[in-house]
Amino acid sequence: MLGFITRPPHRFLSLLCPGLRIPQLSVLCAQPRPRAMAISSSSCELPLVAVCQVTSTPDKQQNFKTCAELVREAARLGACLAFLPEAFDFIARDPAETLHLSEPLGGKLLEEYTQLARECGLWLSLGGFHERGQDWEQTQKIYNCHVLLNSNGAVVATYRKTHLCDVEIPGQGPMCESNSTMPGPSLESPVSTPAGKIGLAVCYDMRFPELSLALAQAGAEILTYPSAFGSVTGPAHWEPVSS
């Protein structure tokens, strides 16, 4: 079951039941396996999840307001889990601003999302948080961190993107994520959620099948690749690999 809610400008919410085979969503629901329903959502006898799309800006509070509206709407419609994209927290104008706006996991912004999860009573997949890690003072670099919150607002899993996107973009020059971001040290084991067992990844990780194979072999039923591809990198990476 798939439904759409749109709000101007640049906000989008889709609802789906992970157990159904929908070709356009094959990357999100890679080879879903039949399973008994743990939570009844809407009229389909499967859990309902929401995929929220936003256009982030450097204004973190405005971005939170936009995301919160979509998450509350997803909860109202009966979703048990809502996915937010990579860079849901902000997209800065340059690397220096990215580092300036970044926060630790224990910072104010993530606390607002934990409160939102508790308020709405649903799980949140925060697809790419600009995290100041414990090594921030030494490295002055951040992590691209996929954070999973349960319906009580507790952090149940964190995965730090291991494959950083350092590419030459025709007509635009190089894009070097590694200039400001550290690669994560390891994969995260799949996590049991009301929607199924979820494997965490981020964006450019999609280019590396060994990661998805390892997650699938570890029992993942849903592979997640929250992304913030641009107008050039999207057609070059997201569309060929996900089709």
Side-chain angles (χ1 to χ4, degrees):
M1 177 179 174
L2 181 63
F4 300 98
I5 296 170
T6 59
R7 288 182 176 75
H10 314 308
R11 288 178 285 173
F12 184 80
L13 173 66
S14 63
L15 299 175
L16 60 135
C17 296
L20 299 183
R21 296 305 302 273
I22 302 174
Q24 301 93 316
L25 300 171
S26 58
V27 172
L28 176 64
C29 307
Q31 298 298 326
R33 305 169 189 171
R35 54 183 174 270
M37 183 184 70
I39 294 180
S40 176
S41 299
S42 188
S43 59
C44 64
E45 294 185 355
L46 287 167
L48 192 68
V49 303
V51 180
C52 308
Q53 299 183 39
V54 298
T55 300
S56 295
T57 73
D59 188 335
K60 292 192 287 186
Q61 281 305 305
Q62 182 58 47
N63 297 335
F64 173 74
K65 180 181 177 181
T66 299
C67 290
E69 288 177 0
L70 290 173
V71 169
R72 291 185 178 111
E73 183 70 359
R76 187 187 69 80
L77 293 171
C80 63
L81 189 154
F83 293 91
L84 292 173
E86 180 186 29
F88 69 95
D89 51 351
F90 66 86
I91 290 182
R93 287 168 283 246
D94 54 57
E97 187 177 41
T98 295
L99 295 176
H100 175 71
L101 292 174
S102 64
E103 297 185 19
L105 289 180
K108 176 185 175 183
L109 185 62
L110 199 65
E111 174 59 27
E112 289 182 305
Y113 279 95
T114 63
Q115 292 176 7
L116 179 64
R118 286 196 296 269
E119 170 199 328
C120 295
L122 82 174
W123 288 55
L124 289 180
S125 165
L126 307 179
F129 177 75
H130 297 85
E131 178 206 1
R132 290 190 185 186
Q134 295 182 351
D135 55 359
W136 164 254
E137 295 296 333
Q138 292 75 38
T139 66
Q140 293 295 294
K141 291 186 176 184
I142 59 176
Y143 292 96
N144 190 340
C145 186
H146 189 163
V147 183
L148 188 64
L149 305 178
N150 67 17
S151 56
N152 294 319
V155 175
V156 296
T158 54
Y159 162 73
R160 293 165 179 88
K161 184 180 179 183
T162 55
H163 301 100
L164 303 182
C165 190
D166 290 358
V167 297
E168 289 282 342
I169 302 177
Q172 298 183 24
M175 181 177 74
C176 296
E177 188 176 15
S178 63
N179 284 347
S180 58
T181 305
M182 296 284 290
S186 61
L187 302 184
E188 178 72 19
S189 297
V191 182
S192 294
T193 77
K197 207 165 187 180
I198 291 180
L200 304 180
V202 179
C203 196
Y204 194 57
D205 284 331
M206 179 185 291
R207 275 288 184 183
F208 302 87
E210 297 83 1
L211 184 151
S212 56
L213 180 61
L215 290 172
Q217 290 176 337
E221 297 169 304
I222 301 172
L223 301 180
T224 57
Y225 295 94
S227 301
F229 281 121
S231 59
V232 175
T233 56
H237 296 279
W238 181 261
E239 292 180 11
V241 177
S242 64
S243 60

